[in-house]
Amino acid sequence: MDKQAARQTLEQIAAFLELKGEARFKVQAYQNAARALAAWSGDVAGGVESGALAQLKGVGPDTLEVVRELVTSGRSSVLDELREQIPPGLVEMLRIPGLGVAKVRQIHHALGIESLAELDVAAQDGRLAKLPRFGARTAANVRKAIVFLRQTSEFRLFHYALAEAQGVQQALAGLEGVRAVELAGSVRRCREVIRDLDLVVVAESDGARASLVKRLGQVTGVTEFAGSEGTVTLRFASGTVVDVFLATPDTFGLAWVRATGSDAHLAELDVRARARGVSLEPGASFPDEASVYQALGLAWIPPELREGAGECDAAASGRLPALVQQADLRGLLHCHTNYSDGVTTVAEWAQVCQAAGYEWIGITDHSISSPYAGGLAPTAIASQREEVDAVNRSANGFRVLQGVEADILADGTLDYDTETLDRFDFVIGSIHSRFGMTESEMTRRVLSAMDDPHLTIIGHPTGRLLLAREPFQIDLEKVLAKAALRGIAVEVNADPHRLDLDWRVVRQARDMGVVISIGADAHSTSGISNVAVGLGIARKGWVEAHQVLNTRDAAAFSAFAQGRRMAST
């Protein structure tokens, strides 16, 4: 049971209790526990066993029992019982942006609606718009959101899918006769949202593979089992479905290639195989992936690139990029402290980043126009600078840079006046409001912000929340062109709920000469793990180390930010 899943369970329980109309203190108990767990850097199972979780402020006896049950059984009886008491349609409604618990209860009580289908009808016939605090625009947005949910309901976010796949990988690795278990499919290719989970299991021999099929169906938690010696599909009680591709040491390479590549990538490999008279039929002897690609006259292609987007031609002609790696990153960007909506001090961030191998960190608390996030008041900037300077004096070469995530306001200006912006080492400009602008309005808003010489990086450039909120309308080609011209970096936001930019646009930006910034968008030290997810998106966009702002040392990064300001004078 990972921390994110436990936190989500507590949040769901809080929402269900509120839907039921339970006392406010009960709802807050679960909300407080979810927040405490999100900010906690420890391991959930270890914290339950050691008693550390019981000592965590915000976690009470009832909420601790929920977490303990999740750790031991993977389920919550409290949540299961609430699911029986709450119409499932109301729970689905909570996934619609703008429909919080209060509005869902209002819809349910006023209109008797209990499903998304009924809600869709009410949004069409005008009943929803007539409710207090709704209106025609809200009704139209609800309809759009319902369509979006229907299109995306089969998918899960990458980091959830990865955790699921790794859990199954660990379970299968312990089976008798298994030599290795490897991740494959969309997870290995680092897709931002995942529908299917795929694993390759390497049996000791052909004989072991035959007997292994039966043992797969007996793995703890498996409720359904179907397949043969080649491929087995497992369905777990949790709802997880995994396709398992069975191989031997001699056939592993081809099996892994076929289980990993997109349909388009595999089609290109098949064309090249026919042209060369190479058999890529299941069972063909290729002990590793490199031998498969070598037989086709290709260099080994990194998994992230196997999307049928020109990677085979690049591999044939020696033009594959040397993709950026974690070891290339020298600085951590886009993280929040306790000066806004983070829970970590400047000193704690420095300590954690230094331990993780980074040379510098750029902190970026929210600006004053974000009161919901405890935006940084001008009077607090000096206090934060004192902390930054104190850490830099004692950090043995590690460097902290004081930046800010300034709101790009509706008129295209950056939050704070020029004098205040001058006080920061760098500025990330992001949009946190007025997402409903037209494409021309939003594009003009961002292009105007790019005229400000303080702007170093454009943060989460499309405002999307995966499986929850679609990108706002904006002409990215114009934005990227101006970023390349003005020397402004564009962020790959590594928050797993965002992963913004889309990897296809990342490649476009890279080809246009735009500098890429990988931003953790972390609100606690545990958010440092976001970087690995964002790195996968950058790699999918064919990005190399020299194209990433974080690969520069602190002096070079500062020079990049100052270069923007000097160019305008």
Side-chain angles (χ1 to χ4, degrees), residues 18 47 84 89 114 119 191 272 304 313-314 351 478 536 566:
E18 193 169 357
E84 293 294 319
E114 292 190 352
L119 181 62
R191 298 284 297 209
R272 291 176 181 272
E304 298 93 336
D313 288 341
Q351 182 180 12
K478 289 183 179 179
M566 296 298 294

Side-chain angles (χ1 to χ4, degrees), residues 199-509:
L199 296 173
V200 175
V201 172
V202 185
E204 295 286 357
S205 62
D206 277 329
R209 184 173 66 171
S211 60
L212 182 58
V213 172
K214 182 178 180 181
R215 284 196 291 275
L216 287 172
Q218 298 171 346
V219 171
T220 302
V222 171
T223 58
E224 294 183 31
F225 165 86
S228 60
E229 290 187 20
T231 306
V232 174
T233 299
L234 305 177
R235 181 181 295 274
F236 289 79
S238 63
T240 298
V241 179
V242 181
D243 288 328
V244 178
F245 299 86
L246 299 173
T248 63
D250 287 341
T251 64
F252 166 62
L254 180 58
W256 206 13
V257 167
R258 286 214 166 275
T260 295
S262 68
D263 290 343
H265 178 78
L266 296 179
E268 290 189 22
L269 296 187
D270 287 338
V271 168
R272 291 176 181 272
R274 287 194 294 271
R276 286 176 163 260
V278 175
S279 172
L280 294 184
E281 292 299 312
S285 180
F286 291 98
D288 53 47
E289 288 192 321
S291 62
V292 177
Y293 288 102
Q294 183 178 15
L296 302 179
L298 304 174
W300 177 81
I301 299 174
E304 298 93 336
L305 302 188
R306 301 180 196 177
E307 297 288 354
E311 68 275 9
C312 289
D313 288 341
S317 59
R319 294 182 293 104
L320 281 174
L323 298 180
V324 61
Q325 303 179 58
Q326 178 68 49
D328 297 320
L329 301 181
R330 304 175 75 172
L332 183 77
L333 281 169
H334 197 156
C335 49
H336 302 269
T337 75
N338 56 356
Y339 274 89
S340 64
D341 59 344
V343 297
T344 306
T345 66
V346 173
E348 288 168 341
W349 265 124
Q351 182 180 12
V352 168
C353 286
Q354 195 169 16
Y358 291 100
E359 299 173 12
W360 56 272
I361 182 174
I363 60 172
T364 47
D365 281 303
H366 286 285
S367 60
I368 196 166
S369 287
S370 296
Y372 62 89
L376 192 64
T379 54
I381 297 173
S383 297
Q384 188 180 65
R385 174 64 72 175
E386 289 177 4
E387 288 194 32
V388 169
D389 291 343
V391 171
N392 284 333
R393 286 193 296 268
S394 62
N396 298 320
F398 186 84
R399 181 86 180 278
V400 180
L401 300 173
Q402 184 189 27
V404 66
E405 186 180 12
D407 276 28
I408 298 176
L409 304 179
D411 63 358
T413 57
L414 292 179
D415 208 2
Y416 298 129
D417 57 27
T418 297
E419 182 179 351
T420 303
L421 290 171
D422 281 340
R423 299 166 67 184
F424 295 103
D425 297 318
F426 69 101
V427 176
I428 296 177
S430 303
I431 288 175
H432 294 109
S433 62
R434 300 287 298 275
F435 296 102
M437 284 182 162
T438 65
E439 179 179 300
S440 61
E441 291 171 337
M442 189 65 79
T443 304
R444 185 164 55 249
R445 177 182 181 179
V446 175
L447 292 179
S448 178
M450 295 170 76
D451 289 331
D452 192 314
H454 297 92
L455 182 63
T456 315
I457 302 165
I458 298 174
H460 42 74
T462 72
R464 76 177 184 182
L465 292 174
L466 294 168
L467 304 183
R469 185 175 71 206
E470 294 183 274
F472 48 66
Q473 299 180 64
I474 188 169
D475 188 334
L476 281 173
E477 188 165 348
K478 289 183 179 179
V479 171
L480 296 177
K482 190 165 184 176
L485 180 66
R486 294 291 180 86
I488 299 171
V490 174
E491 182 182 66
V492 172
N493 188 284
D495 182 333
H497 296 87
R498 292 186 184 273
L499 297 183
D500 182 10
L501 283 176
D502 183 280
W503 58 270
R504 301 163 191 81
V505 183
V506 172
R507 184 172 176 185
Q508 180 185 359

Side-chain angles (χ1 to χ4, degrees), residues 330 360 399 549 551-563:
R330 304 175 75 172
W360 56 272
R399 181 86 180 278
L549 194 55
T551 63
R552 308 182 186 195
D553 62 23
F557 173 82
S558 297
F560 179 88
Q562 289 301 315

Side-chain angles (χ1 to χ4, degrees), residues 151-174:
Q151 292 173 340
T152 59
S153 59
E154 296 180 46
F155 293 88
R156 54 174 82 65
L157 299 182
F158 169 79
H159 64 311
Y160 298 146
L162 177 63
E164 286 184 73
Q166 288 174 333
V168 178
Q169 179 185 33
Q170 184 176 3
L172 300 188

